[in-house]
Amino acid sequence: MDRAAKAESITELSGVFKAAQVVVVAHYAGLTVAQMQTLRQQMKHAGAQVKVAKNRLAKIALKDTDAASIAPLLKGPTVLAYSGDPVAAPKVAIDFAKANEQFVILGGSMGKTALDPNGVKALASLPSLDELRAKIVGLLVAPATKIAQLTNAPAAKVARVVHAYASKGEAA
């Protein structure tokens, strides 16, 4: 890798670290190419990304970013999983680690907060941004539905009473 390519890689990684809400660092030694492709697809589907970068270049790119706390984790064959949603990358990483023993989560960072593997697991257990939005919409729609039911209920009761009296008159 020549100097220009290294500088470009550092600039790209620095942009990633500045833009990402959460970065997860994991060892991937022993994973097959197919397993890495599966990981990439799962991350992409969740709105996250995976990057394998030279540790030395990643450490240089980490300077002056919020994710600088992950620098000590960058030893050996590491992969970086990152996303704008604070839950997406950790959730996929934890699920993938459960299915693949070779994928070992070392830690990560969320903003300036350093995360150990348990911190990454805690983030993964939270509902995603889309799930939270769905719950809020459900909470907002529920009262409107109940109001509509309450306003329609008296009219329905009156209609049932009128129908009952009409049925009685026909029977008599």
Side-chain angles (χ1 to χ4, degrees), residues 9-165:
S9 178
I10 290 170
T11 305
E12 180 185 344
L13 283 170
S14 182
V16 164
F17 292 136
K18 288 178 182 173
Q21 292 283 326
V22 66
V23 179
V24 177
V25 181
H27 277 166
Y28 69 97
L31 289 179
T32 64
V33 174
Q35 290 171 324
M36 281 299 288
Q37 288 291 11
T38 303
L39 174 63
R40 290 180 195 278
Q41 289 171 352
Q42 289 174 356
M43 286 285 185
K44 186 176 181 180
H45 181 69
Q49 292 181 329
V50 175
K51 187 150 192 74
V52 176
K54 290 188 176 250
N55 292 337
R56 190 169 36 87
L57 298 179
K59 286 179 183 178
I60 294 170
L62 278 170
K63 290 180 183 170
D64 301 326
T65 64
D66 290 344
S69 60
I70 65 170
L73 301 175
L74 297 174
K75 292 178 182 156
T78 56
V79 63
L80 303 169
Y82 55 92
S83 66
D85 180 1
V87 177
K91 191 171 281 206
V92 174
I94 292 293
D95 290 343
F96 190 78
K98 287 178 185 174
N100 299 287
E101 295 172 3
Q102 297 90 357
F103 190 77
V104 179
I105 295 175
L106 303 174
S109 77
M110 183 175 78
K112 293 187 179 194
T113 307
L115 302 171
D116 61 351
N118 292 328
V120 174
K121 286 179 184 175
L123 264 180
S125 67
L126 295 174
S128 71
L129 195 56
D130 290 336
E131 290 171 4
L132 287 175
R133 286 180 182 150
K135 286 181 182 179
I136 289 172
V137 168
L139 290 173
L140 293 175
V141 171
T145 305
K146 288 182 181 175
I147 289 172
Q149 289 172 347
L150 288 175
T151 56
N152 289 337
K157 287 181 181 176
V158 169
R160 280 190 229 117
V161 169
V162 170
H163 181 67
Y165 277 123

